[in-house]
Amino acid sequence: MKVIDLVNELDLQVFSGKEGLDNEVSCGYTSDLLSDVMGHAEAGSIWVTIQTHKNVMAIASLKDMPAVIITSGERPGEETVEQSNNENIPVLGTTMRSFEVSGKIYNILAKK
Amino acid sequence: MRPIRADIHIHSVLSPCGSLDMSPAAIISKAIEKGLEMIAISDHNSTLNCNLAVELGKEAGLSVLRGAEVTTAEEVHCLTIFPDENTASAFQKFLNEKIQHIKNVPGKFGYQLVLDRDENIIDEVEYFLPAALTASIDEVEKKVHSLGGLFIPAHIDRPAFSLYSQLGFMPSDLAADAVEVTGKLPEIKFPVIRNSDSHIIDQVGRRYTTYMLNEPTFSELAMAFRSENGRSVISVTP
């Protein structure tokens, strides 16, 4: 499944990294502790978090993540947006809480 | 110039996790007993016990700095230390604007008390002080530096509420004056210090940093972090 499919299905806002909307999503990871994500997220995971710091992008890139979803209506900082565009890793947004959007993604991926 | 021992991370009864015997007076006499020449009071997201501590410190012959341990929006704990009453009070205003008003439950988290010099309770803060501010780590750093203060990510190696736990690694452009470490000393471009992070009275002075300074003051400490005019961070306790 591609990032753009999730954007359409879950009505996600695309903040940045549009070039990466065709990135392939194979699984997901939900966490706000960046040390935890660095240690445990699998490549191909779409990352659900409320963290907006620019280190999010460095870790998304390090872990070969297709996209990041920022939840609860939070918005990425300027530098996060810039890095997202440079790395072609989209930063997406939703007003849903992490629990809700994670559950939806889980179900969508399970059907594939 | 001479070696001066300082512990600039101490919680008072204003922090819910600070024990009830952590009055400014008790902290000061313990610090003197432990051979410290300079301390800072750094409660969670508040400076409200600082002025009293500075005053009592003056009378007792101990240099006390005004500080706060800030919880940034990312939940990174950062020590902030201010040059004087005006700048600390300006920072208190910033804290008041950025704190989330989540009600404290003293029975669960502990009391958050402001004391006077006779140890009467003159105020009890009703919202839970350690909660994350709505300000990001970069915003807090900029505010602290705009006031001439010192910005020091706290216990960066701890598994919770630390720069490494929350942000994974040190952002390359973070303008820290120093970093505080609990465990092993890292290879890092910043001065590395240790402090007690005391919450109970017997912890005061359990860890400290020795600085080469002319006298135990804010401006000398700031110079030590910049290795200016012979001032320096000499060593830290294990």
Side-chain angles (χ1 to χ4, degrees):
Chain A
M1 145 159 298
K2 291 186 187 312
V3 173
I4 188 71
D5 301 328
L6 283 176
V7 167
N8 292 334
E9 200 149 339
L10 299 173
D11 194 21
L12 304 173
Q13 186 176 353
V14 180
F15 289 118
S16 55
K18 290 194 176 66
E19 302 284 321
L21 287 173
D22 284 335
N23 292 348
E24 201 63 36
V25 179
S26 54
C27 48
Y29 202 82
T30 302
S31 177
D32 304 319
L33 279 179
L34 275 60
S35 53
D36 167 55
V37 179
M38 264 172 110
H40 301 114
E42 283 173 52
S45 305
I46 191 160
W47 178 8
V48 178
T49 183
I50 53 167
Q51 288 277 14
T52 59
H53 190 273
K54 67 174 186 296
N55 276 15
V56 164
M57 291 320 302
I59 288 165
S61 159
L62 176 81
K63 302 300 284 191
D64 277 325
M65 290 174 150
V68 177
I69 303 177
I70 295 177
T71 58
S72 292
E74 296 289 334
R75 305 179 68 86
E78 240 171 74
E79 286 172 289
T80 308
V81 164
E82 201 176 302
Q83 281 201 41
S84 153
N85 288 330
N86 292 342
E87 307 261 2
N88 298 332
I89 300 173
V91 173
L92 313 170
T94 177
T95 54
M96 280 184 272
R97 307 289 180 194
S98 294
F99 176 79
E100 190 181 352
V101 77
S102 300
K104 288 186 174 171
I105 293 168
Y106 185 91
N107 285 332
I108 292 167
L109 289 174
K111 277 185 219 145
K112 286 280 145 184
Chain B
M1 260 185 291
R2 60 192 171 82
I4 286 177
R5 292 176 177 184
D7 175 1
I8 59 170
H9 188 166
I10 299 177
H11 292 268
S12 80
V13 283
L14 178 54
S15 296
C17 40
S19 84
L20 285 174
D21 55 3
M22 290 299 265
S23 69
I27 292 167
I28 287 162
S29 63
K30 194 62 166 184
I32 293 171
E33 181 193 317
K34 291 282 182 175
L36 299 171
E37 289 190 64
M38 180 159 62
I39 64 166
I41 300 297
S42 51
D43 284 304
H44 290 293
N45 292 326
S46 181
T47 63
L48 294 179
N49 268 340
C50 289
N51 284 345
L52 171 64
V54 170
E55 217 175 276
L56 296 175
K58 240 176 228 160
E59 292 165 18
L62 178 73
S63 170
V64 179
L65 304 178
R66 295 172 176 86
E69 182 180 21
V70 169
T71 310
T72 73
E74 300 86 356
E75 302 205 318
V76 177
H77 284 186
C78 296
L79 269 181
T80 62
I81 309 285
F82 297 93
D84 54 32
E85 184 172 357
N86 284 342
T87 50
S89 131
F91 192 67
Q92 182 63 45
K93 275 196 195 111
F94 173 83
L95 292 171
N96 293 345
E97 283 163 23
K98 302 293 182 181
I99 190 97
Q100 302 187 61
H101 289 242
I102 300 165
K103 205 172 158 38
N104 184 35
V105 183
K108 268 206 169 87
F109 301 121
Y111 290 92
Q112 304 183 140
L113 308 177
V114 183
L115 303 182
D116 72 5
R117 60 163 47 242
D118 301 316
E119 307 210 343
N120 296 312
I121 297 166
I122 52 172
D123 198 7
E124 182 174 356
V125 179
E126 290 201 344
Y127 47 87
F128 181 62
L129 282 172
L133 301 181
T134 57
S136 70
I137 185 168
D138 293 333
E139 220 177 321
V140 171
E141 176 274 312
K142 285 191 177 72
K143 184 69 190 180
V144 171
H145 282 145
S146 78
L147 294 166
L150 296 170
F151 175 79
I152 304 165
H155 44 68
I156 60 167
D157 51 344
R158 285 237 317 251
F161 298 117
S162 77
L163 194 143
Y164 286 153
S165 76
Q166 305 306 114
L167 296 181
F169 61 96
M170 182 69 68
S172 59
D173 55 355
L174 190 71
D177 296 288
V179 294
E180 183 195 66
V181 166
T182 312
K184 215 170 122 231
L185 298 180
E187 290 283 330
I188 206 166
K189 64 180 175 177
F190 302 106
V192 176
I193 63 172
R194 272 204 236 277
N195 298 297
S196 69
D197 194 359
S198 296
H199 288 78
I200 56 175
I201 199 73
D202 285 334
Q203 292 175 337
V204 174
R206 67 174 166 172
R207 291 186 295 267
Y208 57 82
T209 301
T210 307
Y211 301 88
M212 182 60 79
L213 308 174
N214 239 344
E215 47 180 8
T217 60
F218 175 89
S219 59
E220 289 277 321
L221 178 67
M223 273 197 269
F225 289 149
R226 298 189 299 259
S227 294
E228 257 173 43
N229 302 323
R231 277 72 166 181
S232 63
V233 177
I234 306 176
S235 63
V236 296
T237 49

